[in-house]
Amino acid sequence: MRSCAKVYVGFLMLAAAMASCAHVAGDVPGQSPAGNEAVFDATPVVAGLNENTYFALGNASLKIKRFKEAKGYFLKAIGLNPTRPEFYNNLAWTYMEEGDYKRAEERIKEAIALGAERPYAYLDTYGVISMRMGAVRDAEERLLTALSLAPPEDKKAQAHILRHLLELYAKTGDKDSAKEIEQRLRGF
């Protein structure tokens, strides 16, 4: 019963994503722009969907752990607009969730190169990828840099990065740093 509920929620998320995004007639993605990934059969090209719709569909697929579909949607979004760093970021997150850290790192580097407006968001993802790869020092450096770049008024972004730092310190057994992060998180 639980998996049926997940499918139903996933369907509703996909339907909501499609309904909430503008449809532009004639937008059909071309070749795969990001490296040599193939566009997956599980994600059909639908005439009239724009990059925001594909991005929303990718996010919904990622949330319900349908990674193959998520990758296809993110790649289609990139094909329509290769200048949006959040597309590469979420594609990187998808590869990371699958354990393909090499591709995840390649994609997050592309996001960072494009993401001058929100570098903290992409450094946070890079920090998590580094943590999963076992590169603890790199992960900590990237997460601390992300935290220092996050705007003070963006409490949600700060808390998000702090939770990743807490995860890192818990994995490394650094109880003092973990305790400090827990105290900071209580302030949010």
Side-chain angles (χ1 to χ4, degrees):
M1 182 61 103
R2 193 170 194 193
S3 58
C4 289
K6 281 185 178 180
V7 170
Y8 181 70
V9 169
F11 174 77
L12 289 178
M13 289 170 50
L14 290 172
M18 289 180 73
S20 68
C21 295
H23 296 281
V24 180
D27 279 352
V28 180
Q31 295 289 78
S32 172
N36 50 2
E37 296 97 337
V39 175
F40 299 95
D41 293 338
T43 55
V45 174
V46 179
L49 297 187
N50 66 21
E51 74 265 17
N52 294 323
T53 305
Y54 282 119
F55 183 61
L57 290 168
N59 287 333
S61 297
L62 177 60
K63 187 170 180 111
I64 61 173
K65 300 185 184 310
R66 296 186 65 133
F67 302 126
K68 185 176 180 181
E69 291 175 17
K71 286 186 296 194
Y73 287 128
F74 292 137
L75 287 167
K76 287 175 183 165
I78 291 167
L80 289 169
N81 188 346
T83 65
R84 301 268 303 271
E86 63 271 25
F87 297 171
Y88 295 93
N89 181 76
N90 291 22
L91 180 58
W93 197 274
T94 305
Y95 283 127
M96 180 186 66
E97 290 293 338
E98 289 185 314
D100 189 346
Y101 302 121
K102 181 177 185 265
R103 277 198 174 150
E105 189 172 32
E106 291 168 359
R107 297 301 157 246
I108 199 58
K109 285 179 179 179
E110 290 176 276
I112 290 168
L114 292 169
E117 290 180 26
R118 297 181 60 225
Y120 59 92
Y122 311 121
L123 283 170
D124 174 64
T125 299
Y126 201 5
V128 175
I129 292 167
S130 299
M131 177 176 27
R132 300 248 180 114
M133 293 172 69
V136 175
R137 286 191 182 124
D138 290 340
E140 182 180 37
E141 181 182 322
R142 289 175 179 128
L143 291 170
L144 289 172
T145 301
L147 187 60
S148 73
L149 294 173
E153 66 277 4
D154 193 345
K155 301 297 184 196
K156 183 177 177 181
Q158 290 179 17
H160 189 76
I161 297 164
L162 286 169
R163 282 192 292 278
H164 290 146
L165 274 166
L166 181 61
E167 179 184 350
L168 175 69
Y169 294 139
K171 284 185 178 202
T172 60
D174 186 344
K175 293 178 183 178
D176 292 336
S177 295
K179 191 176 222 176
E180 179 186 324
I181 298 297
E182 285 175 340
Q183 289 173 346
R184 287 182 71 178
L185 278 168
R186 285 189 198 113
F188 287 94

